[in-house]
Amino acid sequence: MRGRMRPYLPELTIRDYNTYQWYLRGVRRQLYTTYGIYPCYYGLRYNGVLFALLADSLAGRPATCKRMRVPGTLLWQNMMCQTQGIRLAAQVEILLSWHRIQDAQWADLPVGKKVRRVVDTVLLRRAYKKAAAENPALERIFAQERDQANVQMALNAKNYLLAAEPKGNLYGALYSLLATDDPNQRKSMHYIGSCIGRAAYLLDKAESFSRDKDKKRYNIFLVNGIYDRNAARENARRQALAIANDLVRAYGMLDVKLNRTLLDNIMLLGLRHAIEPLDAENQPVRWELP
């Protein structure tokens, strides 16, 4: 489940597709105007577009679409103007990208990727420092998640819930920032983010299973007696789908004021497709009302 949650295109209307593209260009332009050309073209690798959509849609803030120049080109296209949701999404993208680079295991990287990591670190450092200064609360969340993850690895935790808790807490905190001041909405958004974080943790650990096994590093599946990569992937997929079904209950309680059909597409079919790329249309996440 690496990368961002995207819409499921076979079920997406043209109107919602255009809205998504306008937000994507808006977040990219925000990265360019606030943090520079390299962060802009480093790419939207996480859920920045979804963060912006959720923040603006939950608050009922209609973004203004304007025709503006695409950063680094002479091309002019429609894109959403700067909103609170888009600004927050740009900050989250920078911090997620920076910490992902720092968390990578240096010994596992081939020579080419080691060079790329050094380049990314040098060219993203200024943007990271600016984003951390703009939103120090977000940076503290990342530091807490890293410390919690180190504790779980030191303990060789065998409980899946405990092992995934640090990443669940991180994403829970990130998603709760997108909610309005309504405490019920914040609670629901925290739970949604926590579910996404736990599912992402399990799927990422399944992908790194072989490397962790060869390097004799901590892996939640190894400490639970799973020594086959395919078995680890199936276990992660099964648990992630169960987590996604829990997420749907909390998502159904949200009062989404704008872009409801687009967010439904991303949070239901898009999430399922991120977990299980094949047959997402025929086996959608079950909608179970509380």
Side-chain angles (χ1 to χ4, degrees):
M1 194 174 164
R2 295 180 183 274
R4 64 180 185 268
M5 288 166 52
R6 298 176 174 85
Y8 185 65
L9 291 179
E11 293 293 320
L12 194 66
T13 64
I14 295 176
R15 179 180 178 180
D16 287 341
Y17 174 81
N18 288 334
T19 300
Y20 184 83
Q21 290 296 318
W22 295 338
Y23 261 98
L24 186 150
R25 295 170 192 152
V27 176
R28 195 180 295 279
R29 183 171 179 82
Q30 182 73 44
L31 287 168
Y32 171 70
T33 56
T34 306
Y35 303 109
I37 189 68
Y38 190 78
C40 171
Y41 281 96
Y42 183 75
L44 288 174
R45 305 194 175 198
Y46 301 99
N47 292 330
V49 184
L50 176 59
F51 292 150
L53 276 166
L54 279 169
D56 289 343
S57 299
L58 290 172
R61 289 189 298 264
T64 302
C65 184
K66 287 187 178 181
R67 193 168 181 82
M68 305 175 75
R69 185 174 62 84
V70 177
T73 73
L74 298 177
L75 181 65
W76 287 66
Q77 289 185 325
N78 291 329
M79 61 186 70
M80 293 302 188
C81 293
Q82 296 177 344
T83 67
Q84 183 177 336
I86 290 175
R87 287 191 292 271
L88 179 60
Q91 292 173 353
V92 172
E93 277 288 334
I94 292 296
L95 293 175
L96 278 171
S97 297
W98 175 263
H99 286 283
R100 188 75 180 212
I101 291 170
Q102 303 310 308
D103 289 343
Q105 296 288 339
W106 180 264
D108 293 345
L109 299 175
V111 175
K113 289 190 176 182
K114 286 181 179 179
V115 174
R116 178 63 185 271
R117 177 181 168 180
V118 172
V119 172
D120 290 341
T121 300
V122 171
L123 296 180
L124 285 175
R125 185 181 298 277
R126 179 177 295 180
Y128 158 70
K129 289 183 176 180
K130 185 175 182 180
E134 290 171 345
N135 202 329
L138 270 179
E139 179 59 21
R140 286 196 297 271
I141 291 171
F142 281 97
Q144 291 170 0
E145 183 269 342
R146 183 175 59 248
D147 293 341
Q148 290 176 349
N150 290 335
V151 169
Q152 296 298 339
M153 287 190 290
L155 294 175
N156 274 342
K158 298 182 66 174
N159 185 286
Y160 288 101
L161 186 61
L162 286 177
E165 185 178 20
K167 195 160 190 175
N169 290 339
L170 169 64
Y171 276 76
L174 291 178
Y175 275 75
S176 65
L177 291 175
L178 308 177
T180 61
D181 293 333
D182 180 7
N184 291 326
Q185 188 179 96
R186 281 188 175 275
K187 184 177 180 180
S188 295
M189 286 295 289
H190 187 281
Y191 186 76
I192 289 170
S194 177
C195 289
I196 292 174
R198 287 188 286 124
Y201 173 84
L202 293 172
L203 293 169
D204 287 351
K205 281 299 180 182
E207 286 300 315
S208 64
F209 178 85
S210 296
R211 292 195 304 272
D212 293 341
K213 183 178 179 181
D214 293 340
K215 301 288 184 179
K216 300 187 183 303
R217 288 198 299 256
Y218 171 78
N219 187 293
I220 185 61
F221 300 105
L222 287 171
V223 298
N224 277 280
I226 298 175
Y227 299 105
D228 179 71
R229 183 182 183 186
N230 291 331
R233 284 182 169 179
E234 176 59 25
N235 187 301
R237 185 194 66 84
R238 187 171 59 251
Q239 292 194 63
L241 289 177
I243 292 170
N245 287 324
D246 288 339
L247 176 155
V248 169
R249 299 188 186 96
Y251 174 73
M253 298 171 64
L254 290 177
D255 179 20
V256 181
K257 297 178 175 63
L258 298 171
N259 304 310
R260 180 81 206 203
T261 55
L262 174 55
L263 286 172
D264 284 352
N265 180 286
I266 298 173
M267 299 299 291
L268 303 179
L269 290 175
L271 174 62
R272 175 60 184 254
H273 191 65
I275 295 172
E276 191 175 36
L278 298 177
D279 207 20
E281 182 179 2
N282 295 329
Q283 296 181 328
V285 174
R286 297 191 304 276
W287 183 278
E288 298 178 4
L289 293 177

